[in-house]
Amino acid sequence: MMFRVQREEAKAIQGALWISGLHYLVLPISFLGQMALARILLPDDFGLFAKAMALTEILFFISAFDFPTGLVALQRVPQIEDTMLTLAIGVAGLFILMGAVLSSVLFWFFPVNVVVMFLVLCIVRAIAIIPPVYGAIALKRLDFKAWSIVRTIATVISVISTIALASLGLKAWSLVGGQAVLLAGTLLGYCFITRWHYQPKIPRQTFQSVVHFSGQMFIARTLENLLHRADRIILAFLVAADSLGYYDRAQYLFMIVAGMIVEVTLNVGLPLYTSLQADRLRFRR
């Protein structure tokens, strides 16, 4: 028993070191990448992307069910992986559909290029709901090393791709391309490290457990999203593109640093505590 507890503690320490260590590696790369983009793109380019991205935040409450967290927390529920991915795919489809409907209204308030980019980003962000489910499978297995490596490689490739696309003259669309590359990299990487084969099934008992858990998460995440995203949504309607671009980049650089604490706490602590929750003795130790 003592050996088992020590092994869990070792995994927790190892996970924290891998996630925080690689985050420190990515931090200067992301910062230098932003400086390079600032020399290539204009404030209006950043502003156009920021406006379109901010408008997608209107729909982000749809993803507040937080399926990856549910997958990790409900480890002992049968076929939880298949259920969560099936629901995530359904939510992604709903995200795209609602984005298409909302775009017909946005044409009355924003230029065509903003609405077109909004539609493309709706597709990208909808599909982005799926990779974290695969990533949660790796976290559920306490495979922090592989999870961290995939995140790091995908982020670095995304930064390089964004700079390359900007150098080719794609302007604001280079930022969209960077998001798409990050999405593809994380999805392919998580699929590779998990080697998990999806079966589209939703057992009734599992569905009931997911509805109960995700319903509670939906309320908390919706309030959290309103707190952290409302400013960008409001500014998208009130300020010019270049002003929003400055605000968006400053906030992005801040979140690169602040996100490290959240990543270690959530992505190491939750899987570890969940794996121990059935054994009170081990949990106390």
Side-chain angles (χ1 to χ4, degrees), residues 120-133:
V120 175
L121 284 173
C122 278
I123 297 174
V124 173
R125 299 198 72 175
I127 300 175
I129 297 173
I130 298 173
V133 176

Side-chain angles (χ1 to χ4, degrees), residues 74-121:
L74 303 174
Q75 291 192 13
R76 292 169 177 78
V77 176
Q79 293 186 298
I80 187 64
E81 297 90 349
D82 297 313
T83 301
M84 288 300 189
L85 184 55
T86 301
L87 293 174
I89 293 172
V91 168
L94 180 61
F95 195 109
I96 296 173
L97 177 61
M98 293 189 67
V101 173
L102 181 60
S103 65
S104 63
V105 178
L106 295 178
F107 274 117
W108 293 90
F109 300 95
F110 296 95
V112 174
N113 58 345
V114 174
V115 180
V116 171
M117 186 171 289
F118 162 78
L119 282 170
V120 175
L121 284 173

Side-chain angles (χ1 to χ4, degrees), residues 237-259:
F237 285 89
L238 296 180
V239 304
D242 57 346
S243 299
L244 183 59
Y246 286 122
Y247 179 84
D248 179 73
R249 290 300 95 181
Q251 190 177 59
Y252 174 81
L253 291 174
F254 168 76
M255 290 306 300
I256 290 177
V257 179

Side-chain angles (χ1 to χ4, degrees), residues 56-243:
T56 64
E57 307 285 8
I58 299 175
L59 302 174
F60 219 69
F61 73 91
I62 300 174
S63 61
F65 293 101
D66 202 350
F67 297 124
T69 300
L71 193 155
V72 174
L74 303 174
Q75 291 192 13
R76 292 169 177 78
V77 176
Q79 293 186 298
I80 187 64
E81 297 90 349
D82 297 313
T83 301
M84 288 300 189
L85 184 55
T86 301
L87 293 174
I89 293 172
V91 168
L94 180 61
F95 195 109
I96 296 173
L97 177 61
M98 293 189 67
V101 173
L102 181 60
S103 65
S104 63
V105 178
L106 295 178
F107 274 117
W108 293 90
F109 300 95
F110 296 95
V112 174
N113 58 345
V114 174
V115 180
V116 171
M117 186 171 289
F118 162 78
L119 282 170
V120 175
L121 284 173
C122 278
I123 297 174
V124 173
R125 299 198 72 175
I127 300 175
I129 297 173
I130 298 173
V133 176
Y134 280 91
I137 296 174
L139 293 176
K140 175 183 175 182
R141 299 171 181 172
L142 305 183
D143 193 359
F144 303 115
K145 176 181 177 180
W147 184 89
S148 303
I149 292 175
V150 168
R151 282 285 301 272
T152 301
I153 294 175
T155 301
V156 172
I157 294 176
S158 173
V159 171
I160 296 173
S161 300
T162 305
I163 296 173
L165 293 173
S167 301
L168 293 174
L170 292 184
K171 298 184 178 181
W173 286 100
S174 63
L175 301 172
V176 179
Q179 292 290 312
V181 170
L182 179 62
L183 165 62
T186 51
L187 179 58
L188 293 175
Y190 289 151
C191 288
F192 176 76
I193 64 173
T194 58
R195 305 295 177 90
W196 172 67
H197 300 288
Y198 168 57
Q199 296 180 346
K201 296 180 179 180
I202 305 181
R204 182 176 179 180
Q205 182 180 359
T206 302
F207 180 73
Q208 292 174 345
S209 299
V210 170
V211 168
H212 176 71
F213 179 87
S214 297
Q216 295 175 325
M217 291 298 299
F218 179 81
I219 298 174
R221 292 300 188 191
T222 298
L223 294 174
E224 180 184 346
N225 288 337
L226 287 174
L227 178 63
H228 292 286
R229 306 175 194 274
D231 55 340
R232 282 174 285 180
I233 298 174
I234 295 172
L235 290 175
F237 285 89
L238 296 180
V239 304
D242 57 346
S243 299

Side-chain angles (χ1 to χ4, degrees), residues 19-31 152-153 156 260:
I19 293 177
S20 59
L22 291 180
H23 192 97
Y24 278 121
L25 175 64
V26 170
L27 181 61
I29 296 175
S30 298
F31 184 78
T152 301
I153 294 175
V156 172
M260 183 179 66

